[in-house]
DNA sequence: TAATAGCTGATTGTCTGACAAATAACCGTA
DNA sequence: TACGGTTATTTGTCAGACAATCAGCTATTA
């Protein structure tokens, strides 16, 4: 006796599928039943099964290989965020704000968790930035790596996978407009500042430093590029 | 000359579709071409089109109505987060950490943006919590509303839609294990504390207060429920 | 024995056609 | 004008067919 059951077959399949996923305690990398098996298990047509599977694949929950089978993806949920970002993309200020909120929190968390090896790695990025101060393209890439590695330090898969497309997306956007050398030097200073707080295991200080950094990026961004108005959505 | 171009029709359709979406400057609520039109526009089979549309619907980017047509969803991207959460669900500690990071940042942002009307509304929630101190179910709901309203205050669609399933999910989880009256009284104290910082427009203080609050929830959560080990993913 | 080449069955990718179900728009009647 | 019914459109679902790809097995060969 299932509720009102005014749902479509597809969404029913999805729910059932998710239930199996959870109750089956599947891990990333696990193989899941074939389409034919699912068709029989769920008593629906292949198209319905495939539509659900396609959706899950497009958002990065599963991986499908012709001639082999279907597996739980082992780097979950990065794609879905990218997709969503593409749609919300027209509203850059909102994304910037989101990045600020998330990354400031990440900095605090990472400051607590950073190991000596992590600190060394971050230091390495800063050195590289100084070396490539005049090559904008390379510089931006290293800048990006620095930020992503901070997410990496937290060890939180969910946050890292959310941060990744967000930062990448905004950076790609930023690449369009050339950044002044002054802006690049300021970035190095900010990163150094953040690293100092990390070394001192100062979570509050680290988040404050990150906040300042992003604030400056945002101001430069708005100043140096023609930023259209956010859509009212 | 496209790279190796070993892409499937489906993903090509997705890309093309997203391109149309962006370049067409569609707004939420807009009607998009019918399946038949897309079939002709893209020169592919209906199944391929449908698989992409199903995926987009599943993650909440579009809405489809039988006999009517397909529209850009007007409350974007809430579903996708829920889906992902369901998959990562087995790893509750990771979600808690994510919530802490995001909500601490949200509190700072909301503290700056809160209007007098917002403050009054938050105050109202606290009053209600006191009134329903002994009704756990109702209490938890109001507690939840308080947190969600803070996300609302920031006016950031992206953050709000991310927060919503995250908070709801963790709260639902929490409902399973009864919370002591002491825990509920502490929640009221924390909320009051947060509100005070909001009134003072003290962003740093607000985020600190929110951090303490979530920290306590987490400790109570771990203490009062049997929390299995996080999966190594 | 070990390595390689080829075969085979299984699995996903794609298309087509068909029908059901629901809805918006139109039309005629009161 | 308001109401009820018809119709064309659109999405939902199924079934069947074939192509493309791959893992695993088998037989051949050095």
């Amino acid at each position: 006796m299932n509720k009102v059951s005014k749902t479509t077959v597809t969404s029913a399949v999805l729910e059932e599928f998710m239930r199996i996923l959870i109750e089956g305690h599947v891990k990333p990398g696990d193989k899941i039943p074939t389409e034919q098996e699912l068709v029989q298990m769920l008593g629906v047509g292949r198209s319905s099964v495939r539509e659900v599977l396609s959706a899950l694949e497009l958002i990065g929950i599963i991986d499908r290989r012709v001639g082999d089978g279907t597996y739980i993806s082992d780097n979950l949920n990065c794609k879905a965020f990218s997709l969503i970002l593409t749609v919300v993309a027209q509203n850059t200020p909102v994304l910037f704000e989101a990045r600020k909120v998330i990354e400031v929190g990440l900095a605090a968390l990472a400051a607590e968790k950073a190991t000596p090896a992590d600190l060394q790695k971050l230091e390495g990025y800063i050195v590289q930035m100084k070396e490539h101060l005049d090559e904008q393209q390379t510089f931006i890439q290293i800048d990006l790596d620095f930020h992503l590695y901070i997410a990496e330090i937290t060890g939180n898969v969910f946050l890292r996978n959310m941060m990744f497309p967000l930062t990448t997306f905004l950076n790609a956007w930023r690449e369009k407009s050339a950044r002044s050398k002054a802006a690049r030097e300021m970035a190095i200073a900010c990163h150094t500042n953040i690293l100092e707080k990390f070394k001192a295991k100062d979570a509050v200080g680290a988040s404050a430093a990150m906040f300042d950094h992003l604030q400056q990026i945002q101001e430069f961004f708005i100043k140096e590029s023609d930023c259209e108005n956010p859509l009212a959505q």
Side-chain angles (χ1 to χ4, degrees), chain A residues 165-178:
Chain A
L166 195 55
T167 313
T168 309
F169 180 82
L170 286 175
N171 252 44
W173 193 270
R174 201 149 48 118
E175 271 180 21
K176 291 180 190 170
S177 63

Side-chain angles (χ1 to χ4, degrees), chain A residues 36-50:
Chain A
Q36 273 306 326
E37 286 169 339
L38 287 172
V39 164
Q40 292 175 345
M41 285 169 60
L42 305 174
V44 298
R46 191 180 164 211
S47 349
S48 303
V49 169
R50 277 192 62 80

Side-chain angles (χ1 to χ4, degrees), chain A residues 14 38 47 62 64 71 81 91 140 145 164 170 180 182 208 212:
Chain A
L14 177 69
L38 287 172
S47 349
I62 61 176
R64 295 197 282 183
Y71 300 82
F81 286 114
N91 200 339
I140 289 183
D145 289 340
F164 200 95
L170 286 175
S180 64
D212 286 341

Side-chain angles (χ1 to χ4, degrees), chain A residues 130-147:
Chain A
K130 287 176 185 165
E131 286 172 2
H132 299 88
L133 185 58
D134 292 317
E135 306 154 49
Q136 162 146 318
Q137 199 71 20
T138 315
F139 186 90
I140 289 183
Q141 183 56 49
I142 304 171
D143 188 337
L144 180 59
D145 289 340
F146 182 90
H147 284 270

Side-chain angles (χ1 to χ4, degrees), chain A residues 88-100:
Chain A
V88 206
Q90 296 155 325
N91 200 339
T92 322
V94 163
L95 293 189
F96 241 116
E97 208 168 63
R99 178 183 171 183
K100 229 160 58 183

Side-chain angles (χ1 to χ4, degrees), chain A residues 8 12 23 80 83 91 132 180-181 190 200 207:
Chain A
T8 63
E23 297 191 357
L83 268 186
N91 200 339
H132 299 88
S180 64
K181 187 164 182 177
C190 284
S207 60

Side-chain angles (χ1 to χ4, degrees), chain A residues 12 21 27 39 58 94 106 114 122 126 166 207 216 230 233:
Chain A
L21 271 200
K27 309 183 299 294
V39 164
L58 282 179
V94 163
L106 272 178
L122 289 178
I126 295 180
L166 195 55
S207 60
Q216 286 183 2
Q233 59 162 341

